[in-house]
Amino acid sequence: MAIRNMRIEGDDILRKKSREVEKFDARLWELLDDMADTLKEQNGVGLAAVQVGVLRRVFIVDVGEGITEFINPRTLATGGSQTVLEGCLSFPGQWGMITRPNYVRIRAQDRHGKWFEAEGEGLMAQAMLHESGHLDGEVFKEDPSFRPLSEEELEELNSGE
Ligand code: NI
């Protein structure tokens, strides 16, 4: 287990499409364990493999109920809508409001290659969709609905932490 270097804005890898995972081996498990350490250290809600420089379709999410690992995820359904505050560990300090579905159902593989389905609502849906976007090289702040916080709002946010 180790903390990996975060890739941040300006690194072209964040725009690239990640490839499917084919081998569910010790190397993948090490990546997943390191991603968990890195997410914890960064105090984040979600992390995609590309954010630590690995172009594989892998992300993890932890909204406070433990980590769920998603490998080769497919979005099966989305529903509803929520406008919520969002940031990204690869774009430090760049908070804004974004409109996303309020519900998502994803089919993915676990670390042993077994398929499962997971549903998310609210923050969980937001995180699952944000991280899925990373796998296709999407950047949250370029979403048409994204509105960056003003400096005043940012100040308020920071003083609240
Ligand atoms: Ni992100």
Side-chain angles (χ1 to χ4, degrees):
M1 307 265 278
I3 289 162
R4 299 212 182 181
N5 283 335
M6 288 292 303
R7 301 300 187 98
I8 59 166
E9 185 165 28
D11 193 322
D12 284 345
I13 199 169
L14 294 169
R15 309 268 173 186
K16 291 189 178 155
K17 199 173 154 78
S18 295
R19 295 181 300 270
E20 296 271 317
V21 170
E22 281 151 16
K23 287 184 191 162
F24 295 80
D25 57 7
R27 195 167 168 185
L28 173 68
W29 303 334
E30 189 182 7
L31 169 67
L32 287 162
D33 291 343
D34 288 354
M35 284 173 65
D37 284 349
T38 308
L39 182 66
K40 215 166 279 174
E41 196 243 3
Q42 296 273 336
N43 260 319
V45 166
L47 185 70
V50 62
Q51 292 181 276
V52 293
V54 177
L55 277 173
R56 289 289 174 180
R57 302 188 78 78
V58 173
F59 70 77
I60 61 173
V61 166
D62 185 356
V63 296
E65 292 158 5
I67 285 177
T68 308
E69 300 172 341
F70 296 85
I71 298 158
N72 299 331
R74 279 102 163 116
T75 300
L76 299 179
T78 59
S81 169
Q82 57 179 341
T83 299
V84 282
L85 183 66
E86 188 161 310
C88 177
L89 296 175
S90 293
F91 296 82
Q94 300 187 45
W95 295 89
M97 302 304 292
I98 194 169
T99 301
R100 292 189 178 278
N102 184 48
Y103 167 84
V104 64
R105 194 165 83 246
I106 283 180
R107 181 171 158 78
Q109 284 170 285
D110 69 12
R111 61 165 60 206
H112 304 287
K114 188 170 184 267
W115 288 95
F116 68 97
E117 281 187 24
E119 289 181 314
E121 277 187 278
L123 178 62
M124 186 65 181
Q126 181 186 2
M128 287 160 76
L129 289 164
H130 176 110
E131 300 313 325
S132 291
H134 273 301
L135 306 189
D136 292 320
E138 289 168 12
V139 170
F140 76 116
K141 64 173 189 166
E142 289 166 7
D143 187 278
S145 75
F146 186 80
R147 182 183 70 78
L149 292 195
S150 67
E151 277 191 24
E152 209 172 62
E153 289 169 318
L154 261 180
E155 237 168 71
E156 220 168 276
L157 179 72
N158 290 331
S159 68
E161 279 176 356

